[in-house]
């Protein structure tokens, strides 16, 4: 139903004109003011929900897979038979709100929403949030390529042009800086866990163990091993339920580039000139000066 829904929407074939909801860019037709208003004001969070929250390109699909596998004690059957967007829908999208109706608790739900637009009902619930963040230079590079294959997003143009667009936050979901500062205000709360993409890369097993602990899930060593094996870059790239190859090219055109593109840390060094990197660092320092958390990429 989801595929036929998006296949019949001819507007996916055209690059979107973004609209603003409360000052943040969103891309129609997957996002509408109504879907965002519903997500913010009416959506009912359940106490046993787990939210996979990210700024785009920070490891959303990776965490989604880890959560799908943990939910089933490492058994990969669900992850190999059901598309990832039906396992853990993006609850702020028009399609995701339809898909949510079939998701049975305990639910894992994805969101790219900034903190200020997140479901109000979350803040009086016991639901949990896992916030994954990534070196913003690598996020920008990943988004630069992704914008060329996801028909919902405006084409990123040249790297030089996109750098300014990204730094100004004129991209879907707004500024990386505001997103991170907004969510990181929850640091220290017992229902909030944050992890970096780079930590997942460096020590996937150790990260899975930490995630299980946060979720209160006691998986044995074999189950943990299976979560790790089935959530590597190679495993995800090969899993048709996770690599988005089931989507029509009018929605995501992977003839122009792969969703699972490189899966490494530091690819920004192959893209930024020294001057661009210094410019990025200056903007970073200015925008993040009121954030008391130091990330490894600032060192
Ligand atoms: P690259 O474009 O740098 O390769 P999101 O799911 O938030 O859209 O993030 C997508 C990015 O995460 C892509 O980055 C993708 O390759 C990377 N990624 C996804 N799964 C991964 C994994 N298991 N290991 C390493 N990187 C992964």
């Amino acid at each position: 139903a989801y595929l036929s829904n998006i296949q019949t929407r001819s507007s996916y074939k055209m690059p979107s004109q973004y609209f603003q909801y409360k000052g943040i860019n969103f891309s129609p037709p997957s996002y509408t003011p109504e879907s965002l208003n519903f997500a913010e004001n009416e959506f009912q969070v359940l106490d046993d929900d787990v939210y996979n929250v990210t700024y785009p390109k920070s490891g959303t699909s990776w965490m989604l897979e880890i959560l799908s596998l943990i939910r089933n004690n490492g058994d990969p059957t669900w992850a190999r038979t059901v598309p990832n967007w039906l396992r853990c829908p993006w609850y702020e999208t028009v399609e995701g709100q339809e898909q949510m109706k079939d998701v049975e608790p305990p639910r894992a739900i994805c969101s790219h929403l900034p903190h200020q637009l997140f479901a109000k009902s979350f803040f009086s619930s016991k639901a949990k949030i896992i916030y994954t963040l990534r070196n913003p230079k690598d996020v920008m590079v990943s988004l630069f390529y992704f914008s060329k294959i996801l028909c919902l997003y405006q084409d990123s143009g040249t790297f030089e042009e996109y750098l300014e667009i990204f730094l100004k936050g004129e991209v879907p979901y707004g500024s990386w800086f505001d997103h991170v500062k907004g969510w990181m205000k929850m640091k220290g709360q017992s229902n909030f866990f944050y992890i970096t993409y780079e930590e997942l890369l460096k020590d996937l097993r150790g990260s899975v163990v930490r995630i299980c602990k946060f979720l209160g899930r006691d998986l044995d060593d074999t189950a943990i091993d299976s979560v790790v094996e089935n959530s590597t870059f190679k495993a995800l790239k090969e899993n048709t339920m996770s690599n988005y190859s089931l989507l029509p090219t009018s929605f995501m055109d992977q003839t122009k580039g792969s969703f699972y593109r490189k899966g490494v840390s530091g690819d920004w060094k192959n893209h930024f000139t020294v001057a661009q990197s210094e410019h990025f660092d200056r903007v970073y320092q200015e925008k993040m000066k009121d954030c008391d958390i130091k990330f490894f990429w600032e060192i």
Side-chain angles (χ1 to χ4, degrees), residues 28-289:
S30 281
Y31 300 84
T32 61
E34 293 74 28
S35 76
L36 292 161
N37 181 54
F38 177 83
E40 184 185 4
N41 296 304
E42 289 166 49
F43 181 76
Q44 278 309 308
V45 167
L46 305 178
D47 280 341
D48 56 359
D49 285 347
V50 178
Y51 290 84
N52 171 24
V53 182
T54 54
Y55 188 83
K57 313 319 292 174
S58 303
T60 328
S61 300
W62 194 0
M63 185 57 72
L64 184 166
E65 204 76 5
I66 293 170
L67 294 175
S68 297
L69 291 158
I70 292 176
R71 186 184 195 277
N72 294 293
N73 292 312
D75 179 349
T77 311
W78 194 47
R80 288 184 189 162
T81 48
V82 178
N84 58 2
W85 60 81
L86 297 181
R87 283 181 262 138
C88 310
W90 272 254
Y91 90 99
E92 63 263 26
T93 65
V94 173
E95 297 86 358
Q97 288 170 4
E98 269 309 300
Q99 294 151 9
M100 286 300 307
K101 294 177 184 159
D102 298 323
V103 178
E104 288 182 13
R107 309 181 299 185
I109 298 168
C110 293
S111 178
H112 291 314
L113 284 176
H115 181 264
Q116 73 274 17
L117 301 183
F118 202 67
K120 288 206 168 77
S121 62
F122 169 79
F123 298 96
S124 54
S125 78
K126 294 186 180 126
K128 295 181 174 176
I129 290 205
I130 296 182
Y131 187 61
T132 310
L133 67 167
R134 182 181 189 185
N135 183 337
K137 287 180 181 165
D138 282 333
V139 168
M140 196 213 122
V141 170
S142 184
L143 195 54
F144 173 75
Y145 288 104
F146 188 58
S147 301
K148 299 194 183 293
I149 67 170
L150 187 73
C151 303
L152 283 179
Y153 285 4
Q154 288 168 7
D155 184 273
S156 36
T158 67
F159 190 79
E160 182 82 30
E161 287 162 351
Y162 202 60
L163 178 62
E164 291 314 313
I165 293 172
F166 181 84
L167 288 174
K168 284 192 214 142
E170 292 171 356
V171 288
Y173 295 99
S175 149
W176 180 91
F177 307 101
D178 293 343
H179 203 280
V180 168
K181 284 191 287 185
W183 279 108
M184 291 309 292
K185 277 191 223 143
M186 287 192 67
K187 185 182 171 217
Q189 295 192 23
S190 60
N191 61 346
F192 181 79
F193 175 88
Y194 76 96
I195 190 161
T196 61
Y197 173 95
E198 293 77 9
E199 284 172 289
L200 291 170
L201 262 186
K202 199 169 164 205
D203 181 11
L204 184 52
R205 196 175 200 290
S207 301
V208 169
V209 169
R210 287 171 57 209
I211 294 164
C212 286
K213 190 164 177 236
F214 170 68
L215 296 176
R217 294 296 308 275
D218 188 16
L219 270 60
D220 64 25
D221 281 355
T222 316
I224 299 275
D225 288 342
S226 176
V227 175
V228 172
E229 252 168 57
N230 289 289
S231 62
T232 61
F233 183 77
K234 186 169 180 289
L236 291 187
K237 200 174 168 77
E238 286 171 1
N239 182 357
T240 39
M241 296 298 148
S242 305
N243 64 16
Y244 302 100
S245 59
L246 294 175
L247 292 173
T249 48
S250 58
F251 186 78
M252 190 189 291
D253 188 354
Q254 295 200 61
T255 63
K256 294 183 185 155
S258 184
F259 179 90
Y260 292 95
R261 195 184 57 90
K262 281 202 177 170
V264 298
S265 159
D267 190 35
W268 69 267
K269 291 175 195 153
N270 300 317
H271 291 80
F272 282 68
T273 63
V274 172
Q276 285 170 340
S277 175
E278 285 174 1
H279 171 50
F280 195 108
D281 292 344
R282 275 193 298 276
V283 175
Y284 186 103
Q285 274 153 25
E286 175 58 28
K287 301 245 188 214
M288 297 301 276
K289 66 174 186 248

